[in-house]
Amino acid sequence: MQLKKFCSAILDRREEPRVRRVSLEGKTHLEIADVLVSTYTESGAKDVALETLGEIGCNAERESFGELTCKYGNIMIVETTGASEQTAQQDKLKYSGIRASYAMAETDLLEMNNYKSIIQNVARQKGLDPALIAAIISRSCRAGKTLTAGRGCFDEERNTYNTYGLMQIDVNPKGGGHIARGRWDSEEHLCQATDILIHFILRIKHAFPDWSKEQQLKGGIASYNAGNGNIHSYEEVDAKTSCGDYSNDVVARAQWYTSNGGF
């Protein structure tokens, strides 16, 4: 998205309520999304964004945004605190939070681009944000860099690996028990893993019908890592996830890939 052009079009709107220039100047994509929601309400912000994207000729973004916000929620307005100190230590960062998530997502971008076409294909097939798939790949295996022949999480007791593929599905019979399909870096694998993610999003939607779409999306991301039985409240959605930050970190990375990674 051409951010400056988008902001100019928002400021040029004559209908009330209007957004003040100072509210948008120097703001990130996420901060701008917050301004739109606070000004127009969640549903109104979506309509304004779709209309504005059409006006400035960002038709592909408009189509993608419309599909994704309708189905599972808008990743750009999901609340996030980013990576924990423990996660940030993977890259020996001296800071944590959203800044750390952004830095790690950027570090993985070169390798992530090797999978961009299949990520986008799967995203179109499944109606999921490609940036979210990329973010899970970044968090799970640093775009393949931490894997051994496509596998991860070595289990000394079982003398084998517990997870498989770019999105690291759980193949431990005593865990997720999934039977891996396709090569670890294939579109078939991403389709299987994305189906698992969607399953968890829908489970959270059923368990917490009063949550917003964005809260259910975040809960589904946490469930993908920890299982939906370990999600008991939105406030402690990451209490049982890896490093206590899985969904927050993934959301922040997804927002970076949307804004800066071309996904």
Side-chain angles (χ1 to χ4, degrees):
M1 184 194 304
Q2 302 175 50
L3 187 59
K4 289 183 179 179
K5 198 172 181 181
F6 179 83
C7 289
S8 294
I10 291 292
L11 295 172
D12 286 343
R13 289 176 60 85
R14 294 290 176 259
E15 299 88 345
E16 294 292 340
R18 297 183 64 183
V19 176
R20 299 173 60 193
R21 184 175 300 276
V22 69
S23 299
L24 299 183
E25 287 181 340
K27 298 296 193 297
T28 66
H29 285 72
L30 182 57
E31 290 168 335
I32 291 169
D34 287 339
V35 170
L36 295 183
V37 170
S38 64
T39 303
Y40 301 110
T41 75
E42 187 172 318
S43 59
K46 173 195 163 187
D47 293 337
V48 169
L50 288 171
E51 181 180 331
T52 305
L53 287 169
E55 288 175 357
I56 64 176
C58 291
N59 295 317
E61 290 86 348
R62 183 181 188 277
E63 181 179 351
S64 176
F65 180 87
E67 291 174 354
L68 295 171
T69 53
C70 286
K71 201 161 190 180
Y72 299 115
N74 181 359
I75 195 68
M76 293 303 293
I77 60 173
V78 177
E79 299 172 321
T80 177
T81 55
S84 65
E85 290 184 11
Q86 184 177 352
T87 296
Q89 280 301 305
Q90 291 177 8
D91 285 11
K92 296 181 172 56
L93 300 177
K94 296 181 179 180
Y95 49 86
S96 58
I98 293 173
R99 181 186 172 196
S101 295
Y102 286 1
M104 290 185 284
E106 184 174 11
T107 295
D108 295 337
L109 181 59
L110 182 63
E111 289 81 9
M112 194 69 68
N113 282 332
N114 294 327
Y115 311 113
K116 190 170 188 177
S117 62
I118 63 170
I119 289 172
Q120 292 176 330
N121 287 343
V122 172
R124 281 192 293 269
Q125 292 175 47
K126 304 298 181 181
L128 202 69
D129 192 329
L132 175 54
I133 296 175
I136 290 176
I137 293 172
S138 174
R139 166 67 187 229
S140 297
C141 67
R142 307 308 302 273
K145 290 178 288 186
T146 65
L147 301 181
T148 301
R151 298 179 180 271
C153 297
F154 186 78
D155 187 331
E156 292 185 359
E157 184 177 332
R158 296 176 60 236
N159 196 34
T160 189
Y161 293 90
N162 285 334
T163 54
Y164 178 84
L166 287 171
M167 291 178 69
Q168 288 291 272
I169 64 171
D170 187 349
V171 295
N172 184 342
K174 296 181 180 179
H178 299 293
I179 298 174
R181 298 201 300 265
R183 277 180 48 88
W184 65 272
D185 57 352
S186 67
E187 187 170 321
E188 185 177 5
H189 160 69
L190 292 188
C191 280
Q192 179 186 17
T194 300
D195 281 340
I196 294 169
L197 173 60
I198 291 170
H199 165 79
F200 281 119
I201 294 171
L202 295 178
R203 290 290 294 271
I204 291 296
K205 182 178 181 180
H206 177 75
F208 301 100
D210 294 334
W211 288 10
S212 70
K213 280 186 178 181
E214 283 67 35
Q215 289 174 327
Q216 291 167 349
L217 176 58
K218 187 175 183 181
I221 295 167
S223 297
Y224 181 81
N225 176 258
N228 59 284
N230 284 317
I231 310 302
H232 303 295
S233 72
Y234 182 72
E235 292 71 24
E236 297 186 354
V237 70
D238 271 332
K240 299 293 185 180
T241 66
S242 300
C243 300
D245 69 343
Y246 186 87
S247 69
N248 277 286
D249 183 30
V250 166
V251 167
R253 295 190 199 209
Q255 290 171 351
W256 189 90
Y257 282 121
T258 298
S259 301
N260 303 286
F263 282 87

